[in-house]
Amino acid sequence: MKHPTANESREIQVVTKIWGTGDKYFNLAHQHYGDAQYWWVIAWWNMRPLETSFIPGDVVEIPKPIEKVLEL
């Protein structure tokens, strides 16, 4: 998947979160999308395929709504 263009990104809202010790993509996906299977969306959007790419204090962007993100 390619990353969205500026025009495509306009329809996406971003919620930010400070990465903390013990945070997991699947937990964030469950919390924000209601389904842990979308963990990869958060990884893709942040261009960080692994949770180990974050350190506590990093800002994580969570794109919403999931329906619009999946259309990209």
Side-chain angles (χ1 to χ4, degrees):
M1 288 178 69
K2 66 174 181 63
H3 214 269
T5 65
N7 276 344
E8 292 170 332
S9 295
R10 287 189 190 132
E11 295 184 29
I12 305 299
Q13 300 169 348
V14 174
V15 174
T16 59
K17 182 206 182 317
I18 304 299
W19 190 263
T21 303
D23 280 340
K24 301 287 182 198
Y25 284 146
F26 70 88
N27 287 336
L28 293 175
H30 184 271
Q31 179 183 0
H32 290 275
Y33 305 139
D35 194 332
Q37 77 171 340
Y38 295 120
W39 67 268
W40 61 270
V41 172
I42 299 168
W44 165 73
W45 185 266
N46 287 277
M47 293 187 274
R48 296 186 187 194
L50 303 173
E51 294 160 334
T52 56
S53 300
F54 287 101
I55 59 171
D58 283 350
V59 175
V60 181
E61 292 186 346
I62 302 161
K64 293 178 130 185
I66 189 64
E67 297 80 16
K68 288 283 186 191
V69 177
L70 294 176
E71 288 176 9
L72 299 174

